[in-house]
Amino acid sequence: MSQRKPAAKKSKSERPSLSGRRKVWLAWMLRLSLVGLALLAGWLVYLDAQVRERFDGNKWALPAKVYARPLLLYPGQLLSASQLEAELSWSDYSARGYADRPGSYTRSGEQWTIFRRAFPFWDGPESARRIELSIRDGRISRLREQGEDVGLVRLEPQYIGGIFPAHNEDRELVRLEDVPPALVAALVVTEDKAFFEHWGISLRGIARAMLANVKAGGFVQGGSTLTQQLVKNFFLSSERTLIRKGQEALMALLLELHYSKEEILQAYLNEVYLGQAGRRAIHGFGLAARFYFGKSVKELDNGEIATLVGLVKGASYYNPRRNPERAKERRDLILGLMADNGIITDGQRIVAQGKPLLTSAAGRAGQREYPAFLELARAQLQRDYRLQDLQSEGLRIFTTLDPWMQNAVEEAAQATLKRLESRSRELKDVLETAAVITSVDGGEVRALLGSRKPEFFGFNRALAAKRAIGSLAKPVVYLAALESGRYHWGSVIDDKPVSVSGPGGQLWQPQNYDHKSHGALPMADALARSLNQATARLGMTVGLGNVAATFKELGLQAEVPPYPSMLLGAISLSPVEVAAMYQTIASQGFVMPLRTIEAVATAKGETLSSYALRGEQVVSPAMMQWLRYGLEQVAERGTARRITQELEGPLAAKTGTSDDQRDAWFAGFDNRHLGVVWVGRDDNQPMPFAGSSAALPIWLDTFRSAGSEPLPPADLLQMVPVNAAGQLVENGCRGTLYPFIRDRVPAAAGQCDPLTEPSSGEKKSWFDWLF
Amino acid sequence: MVRLVVLIFTFSAFLAGCSAVPEGPDQQRVNVAALPDWQADGSMGSFTEGNHHPAIASLFAKAEIERRKQRWRSAMTYLDQARQIQPRNPAVFYRQAWVSLQMGDRAQARNLLQRGLVFAQSDVAMTERLNQLLAQCQ
């Protein structure tokens, strides 16, 4: 058993003296300080690496900028004065008494002078050009530059959106030398007067801010220098802690150590957040100048400079569009500061303060986005490019979008839906629409509408809404019949009740729209009147397999089940798929992918890709012209006759209405464009409208306002008389003229009922009329 | 007689109106002279050969510069711009097909020539020239 010894008490002499304790304490302090210094040094090295890495490399993830097609100007081009005026305004051109600077134009009657801006096109940069043109009878009659005739000039294309990284940051990079000195000076005197004197942090500024905050009893003023603000935006989160504040100060010092004041200022001018446009965050003065005033930063006047500088303090609070009074007050304050500091004279200040706060429209074409088209373009781009590169490399994407056509279809859709919905309270805001407009010969997508709200990023019905196509399937049935060699447009077919039993024993008994049967009639009439029973009978005779194969032949990639109901359009397709199929008809048999991208260039102007026409002639042009005759009859005297009552024909078209009127469709083309329009409800409920009353008006209004051109004559066809029994007869025999493929006209087999000559003297010649 | 005077006046005014506006490139028809010379050894005359609408001529001139530098993709870009202005001009398809051949894309050259043939239709000389080049694409 051990005994516990009592703890020996230290004698007084053994205790460390006061000075000894201080030494120990000091030693510990020294050690801790050394550790702290080592940690600080390590942290500094880490921060330094961060600062240099970020500042030396690509500072920003630059979104791809997407542009519409450039407007081509050449002698003879179809172009109305209203289109030219609109396109100039969308590209932020200003009408002036004299077009004396890039981005301005003047008009005097038919004569226009346009000072086009310099622009880096995908096939090379072009300098600013001052051109003169005349528009007569809807065409450019003359195009000149410095007194000489020129063949072709392109206006710079309109911005239509971006492919943004996660935070949707957008910016237009500017170099310091491109920024007006007054803007830089105004920014410095407003935000950080001692910018050119301090080393990143300003003790005087901090003291002043602290005093102000203490006086106010809360946070009213920050003591951050421009360098600190840049560090905060560039490297750090927005949390307010002491450690973060310390980090900000250290990084500001490091930034100033490595980089010149000019480099820091340039970065600040491009980094600072200056507003929001929908999902798009507006960063930097370059883009802000474009967004708020529709001009480049170089072109800003003193008042505009002061307005933008005022936004630095609070982009939302001082937003000149939403809070004009506050923004004006702030602008005038900054103009005062500018005058006090000799940046502008007192006279200039008075003039600038006397001006109203004028901004360009936020939703104007040149700054808004076109989500439906962008989605299709992005999907096509991602076949060749990584999304990450599209979001960060500042690529410039040149597309096929025609803003004039897009504007026409958007306005037509708005007006038509409003009109349709006014007929019934239950319909208010429930109708939706989608539309695709392409060029007939090249398959370039010229306009795309994915919703009745064209600026809404959401469900894109043009691409994703798969709906029953109804009678839009009928031309495929008639093409299969024509290709079979057993039918022509004068062939007599029967429109009488049909009953087909399906695999489960259910009966398929289609009805006509008017619930009547119309008996024997020529094939052209059956298509023109969109008769279901006649078409179903024809399709069954031609063969379901043949009709399904004809869908494929026209380039449809979706599977078509060989069921009888397919003959009348019980196939669900998106508007873009329908457009691709009708494209083959409109282009005379050339199957081609619909295309949105013309070219892709780097931010420095190097062309990465350019895309030309691709496709394959799969159906003979003569066969397509023969089919087109049927579609022309639809537009001339059938269910789509309203379009030729208002536009010059011939035009080719087909209306479509699915079962119970759940979908209204219209597909039609003129000599230049094909348009497919769908109207329906997202909940797939019936509507009190058919294709001819809901979708046709959108097509018609679009083609009326964008411009329409009749189809050329079908030069591969020959008109031959056909008797009432559908048999060909010799020329000079009584019959109705129908077209046949010129080199494949069958021999006349019908009995001839000779035409009687009109007796002489019954008709007067034009010469008789004159006298 | 008054009717005759009115008619003559209206007709003259109509003609005067028509003459002031040049026809669009889409309305112009081209003939075989619009095709550059092509030899069986594959060599091609200048893309600028033939009479063309000023817009097309300007693009052919740019394409010719690129062709001489053997920058086929750039040449194709200018030719495709010409195609969009005159989408049914066989002379454009002929040049595009030749450039496709230089790029080693025979299938594309064939498709473009077949497209050109659609629009050459009744022009025998043009059809023959397109077919000559088509024979090289097999």
Side-chain angles (χ1 to χ4, degrees):
Chain A
M1 211 173 155
S2 63
Q3 268 191 321
R4 281 183 79 184
K5 287 181 182 173
K9 278 190 179 174
K10 284 184 179 173
S11 66
K12 205 175 180 181
S13 61
E14 280 178 298
R15 286 184 199 158
S17 65
L18 193 64
S19 63
R21 280 213 308 270
R22 192 176 295 146
K23 270 183 195 164
V24 171
W25 187 80
L26 277 174
W28 273 109
M29 281 300 290
L30 188 64
R31 281 182 205 141
L32 279 175
S33 303
L34 283 173
V35 171
L37 273 176
L39 284 175
L40 183 65
W43 194 33
L44 271 176
V45 169
Y46 167 72
L47 292 180
D48 191 57
Q50 258 199 328
V51 165
R52 296 187 71 162
E53 188 193 340
R54 182 80 199 273
F55 222 75
D56 284 342
N58 284 336
K59 294 184 184 67
W60 297 282
L62 291 178
K65 280 196 184 311
V66 187
Y67 295 97
R69 60 97 181 95
L71 178 65
L72 301 183
L73 305 173
Y74 49 80
Q77 185 213 8
L78 278 170
L79 181 72
S80 64
S82 50
Q83 180 180 354
L84 182 56
E85 195 139 38
E87 298 227 16
L88 287 169
S89 127
W90 296 337
S91 291
D92 289 325
Y93 275 71
S94 55
R96 302 171 70 88
Y98 183 71
D100 57 348
R101 63 180 72 163
S104 64
Y105 73 96
T106 177
R107 178 190 177 183
S108 167
E110 295 174 341
Q111 311 298 319
W112 298 70
T113 304
I114 302 169
F115 207 144
R116 194 206 65 186
R117 301 183 185 100
F119 189 80
F121 289 91
W122 66 94
D123 50 13
E126 287 188 16
S127 53
R129 297 172 76 173
R130 193 165 177 275
I131 52 163
E132 289 157 16
L133 63 95
S134 315
I135 297 179
R136 259 183 150 181
D137 301 335
R139 282 188 190 271
I140 295 181
S141 59
R142 190 153 210 197
L143 183 64
R144 291 164 78 82
E145 185 176 15
Q146 294 179 336
E148 300 279 319
D149 284 336
V150 286
L152 177 68
V153 175
R154 294 180 286 191
L155 288 188
E156 71 271 30
Q158 182 190 312
Y159 169 86
I160 57 164
I163 300 175
F164 298 111
H167 301 297
N168 294 324
E169 274 188 24
D170 196 12
R171 50 175 50 78
E172 191 177 304
L173 292 186
V174 289
R175 290 175 306 172
L176 189 59
E177 54 265 39
D178 295 330
V179 179
L183 192 158
V184 178
L187 178 70
V188 168
V189 298
T190 312
E191 291 295 317
D192 183 5
K193 206 170 175 183
F195 176 72
F196 288 101
E197 287 138 35
H198 62 64
W199 289 0
I201 53 173
S202 165
L203 295 176
R204 200 184 303 163
I206 293 168
R208 196 171 47 235
M210 277 175 70
L211 198 65
N213 293 340
V214 167
K215 269 189 193 169
F219 185 86
V220 292
Q221 189 179 334
S224 295
T225 63
L226 282 180
T227 319
Q228 282 173 284
Q229 289 181 38
L230 176 63
V231 164
K232 186 173 72 182
N233 294 336
F234 212 52
F235 302 100
L236 305 172
S237 65
S238 57
E239 61 172 331
R240 285 180 180 178
T241 62
L242 266 181
I243 290 187
R244 208 220 61 146
K245 204 73 193 154
Q247 189 178 353
E248 177 189 298
L250 284 175
M251 286 177 107
L253 286 167
L254 289 167
L255 203 60
E256 295 264 353
L257 190 70
H258 293 298
Y259 303 97
S260 67
K261 290 282 185 190
E262 286 73 22
E263 286 172 296
I264 291 167
L265 254 182
Q266 180 167 297
Y268 185 92
L269 290 166
N270 287 306
E271 170 59 33
V272 64
Y273 171 74
L274 294 172
Q276 196 72 32
R279 61 173 190 147
R280 184 172 165 226
I282 308 295
H283 283 257
F285 283 89
L287 185 59
R290 189 79 60 200
F291 176 65
Y292 289 107
F293 301 111
K295 46 175 83 168
S296 75
V297 72
K298 279 182 197 172
E299 298 168 286
L300 294 173
D301 66 26
N302 289 327
E304 290 160 348
I305 285 172
T307 308
L308 292 187
V309 170
L311 286 171
V312 173
K313 193 175 173 190
S316 173
Y317 192 78
Y318 295 110
N319 184 317
R321 291 197 185 109
R322 258 181 280 147
N323 305 310
E325 280 178 23
R326 243 182 248 159
K328 185 175 180 306
E329 210 173 289
R330 177 93 181 135
R331 178 199 74 173
D332 292 348
L333 181 87
I334 288 166
L335 283 167
L337 271 177
M338 288 167 78
D340 292 347
N341 287 277
I343 300 165
I344 55 173
T345 63
D346 247 352
Q348 287 172 314
R349 174 185 64 78
I350 292 164
V351 169
Q353 285 180 339
K355 282 187 186 171
L357 194 73
L358 291 177
T359 56
S360 50
R364 71 192 189 281
Q367 282 302 315
R368 56 159 279 201
E369 293 192 89
Y370 297 78
F373 184 87
L374 282 178
E375 190 183 345
L376 182 59
R378 190 167 130 166
Q380 295 187 353
L381 279 168
Q382 281 187 253
R383 291 177 200 155
D384 296 333
Y385 293 89
R386 293 186 312 158
L387 180 60
Q388 191 190 340
D389 293 337
L390 294 170
Q391 291 174 329
S392 63
E393 297 299 316
L395 297 179
R396 291 159 59 251
I397 317 289
F398 295 90
T399 71
T400 58
L401 183 87
D402 177 344
W404 179 246
M405 186 57 93
Q406 178 74 26
N407 180 63
V409 75
E410 285 179 8
E411 288 192 348
Q414 289 295 327
T416 303
L417 293 192
K418 202 173 162 190
R419 206 165 48 236
L420 294 172
E421 288 176 346
S422 68
R423 294 184 198 170
S424 157
R425 194 178 293 172
E426 284 173 14
L427 286 173
K428 182 129 183 70
D429 296 330
V430 299
L431 294 181
E432 262 300 349
T433 187
V436 187
I437 313 282
T438 65
S439 64
V440 156
D441 293 298
E444 291 94 8
V445 179
R446 296 303 185 197
L448 198 73
L449 195 63
S451 151
R452 65 185 296 167
K453 294 175 189 154
E455 291 178 58
F456 178 64
F457 280 84
F459 185 49
N460 188 346
R461 291 159 192 82
L463 300 181
K466 307 258 184 184
R467 307 290 293 239
I469 63 171
S471 298
L472 290 198
K474 283 184 183 142
V476 185
V477 178
Y478 287 83
L479 176 60
L482 293 172
E483 284 184 329
S484 74
R486 291 186 282 152
Y487 294 90
H488 54 78
W489 287 113
S491 295
V492 176
I493 56 175
D494 265 338
D495 185 65
K496 57 185 186 186
V498 186
S499 185
V500 181
S501 55
Q506 77 276 23
L507 287 178
W508 181 63
Q509 295 173 314
Q511 294 290 314
N512 281 326
Y513 188 71
D514 57 5
H515 295 280
K516 292 178 188 162
S517 298
H518 300 270
L521 74 174
M523 205 169 85
D525 290 15
L527 180 63
R529 294 162 67 182
S530 201
L531 297 179
N532 288 339
Q533 293 179 340
T535 307
R537 285 180 163 274
L538 180 67
M540 294 302 291
T541 313
V542 171
L544 294 177
N546 287 334
V547 175
T550 308
F551 273 106
K552 290 267 174 230
E553 188 184 19
L554 290 174
L556 182 68
Q557 289 174 349
E559 220 29 68
V560 179
Y563 302 143
S565 59
M566 152 274 272
L567 300 169
L568 301 180
I571 311 162
S572 293
L573 297 177
S574 71
V576 163
E577 286 174 307
V578 172
M581 192 172 77
Y582 270 78
Q583 186 76 38
T584 309
I585 302 171
S587 68
Q588 301 190 58
F590 199 64
V591 170
M592 62 192 122
L594 301 186
R595 191 162 69 97
T596 57
I597 310 296
E598 286 286 1
V600 179
T602 65
K604 289 180 181 166
E606 185 198 345
T607 311
L608 293 178
S609 329
S610 54
Y611 300 85
L613 178 74
R614 291 197 84 86
E616 194 180 352
Q617 190 72 36
V618 293
V619 190
S620 84
M623 185 59 73
M624 287 288 97
Q625 287 191 4
W626 207 13
L627 175 64
R628 197 184 84 190
Y629 169 83
L631 298 174
E632 286 175 8
Q633 298 311 301
V634 178
E636 187 64 34
R637 57 194 174 89
T639 53
R641 61 186 172 279
R642 197 177 143 199
I643 65 170
T644 49
Q645 286 164 358
E646 299 194 32
L647 300 174
E648 189 187 346
L651 300 167
K654 187 70 196 81
T655 52
T657 312
S658 68
D659 283 351
D660 302 326
Q661 302 190 169
R662 292 171 199 276
D663 303 277
W665 289 91
F666 191 81
F669 53 93
D670 72 351
N671 193 34
R672 294 187 298 161
H673 294 107
L674 161 73
V676 172
V677 179
W678 168 86
V679 175
R681 295 174 57 148
D682 281 347
D683 58 9
N684 203 21
Q685 290 303 303
M687 307 175 293
F689 310 114
S692 56
S693 54
L696 179 151
I698 295 179
W699 188 98
L700 177 60
D701 285 358
T702 304
F703 277 66
R704 191 194 291 120
S705 62
S708 156
E709 204 175 273
L711 289 163
D715 51 1
L716 300 174
L717 304 184
Q718 180 185 333
M719 299 305 275
V720 176
V722 173
N723 66 19
Q727 296 168 310
L728 276 77
V729 290
E730 296 288 349
N731 279 327
C733 302
R734 193 174 297 280
T736 308
L737 291 176
Y738 284 102
F740 287 81
I741 294 177
R742 193 175 286 282
D743 53 4
R744 284 167 48 185
V745 181
Q751 207 171 7
C752 185
D753 175 9
L755 286 169
T756 47
E757 290 292 322
S759 61
S760 60
E762 273 185 9
K763 271 190 175 176
K764 281 185 174 181
S765 73
W766 65 272
F767 198 73
D768 296 328
W769 178 82
L770 287 173
F771 300 93
Chain B
M1 198 61 198
V2 176
R3 284 184 185 179
L4 181 62
V5 173
V6 169
L7 190 75
I8 290 168
F9 179 79
T10 312
F11 189 60
S12 315
F14 174 72
L15 285 181
C18 288
S19 62
V21 181
E23 62 178 6
D26 42 328
Q27 297 163 326
Q28 287 192 337
R29 290 200 65 86
V30 295
N31 59 28
V32 73
L35 304 187
D37 280 339
W38 174 78
Q39 304 299 323
D41 64 1
S43 61
M44 173 72 81
S46 170
F47 276 176
T48 56
E49 283 177 28
N51 284 324
H52 305 280
H53 181 277
I56 303 300
S58 124
L59 289 163
F60 280 175
K62 287 178 178 174
E64 174 61 14
I65 293 168
E66 300 305 305
R67 184 184 82 92
R68 287 187 185 160
K69 293 175 184 166
Q70 300 197 351
R71 296 205 296 226
W72 308 121
R73 196 179 63 186
S74 295
M76 185 60 103
T77 297
Y78 290 119
L79 293 174
D80 206 60
Q81 288 174 50
R83 181 196 60 75
Q84 290 189 37
I85 294 172
Q86 280 190 334
R88 296 169 196 166
N89 181 349
V92 177
F93 287 109
Y94 184 81
R95 287 164 171 81
Q96 282 193 296
W98 187 82
V99 172
S100 292
L101 269 182
Q102 309 313 304
M103 294 164 92
D105 193 345
R106 282 173 184 272
Q108 171 69 354
R110 221 169 22 241
N111 287 334
L112 289 166
L113 285 166
Q114 274 158 356
R115 192 71 181 145
L117 283 166
V118 168
F119 302 116
Q121 290 302 343
S122 51
D123 188 332
V124 177
M126 177 76 84
T127 303
E128 196 179 319
R129 286 287 303 279
L130 292 168
N131 276 324
Q132 278 174 16
L133 193 56
L134 188 60
Q136 299 297 308
C137 306
Q138 308 304 328

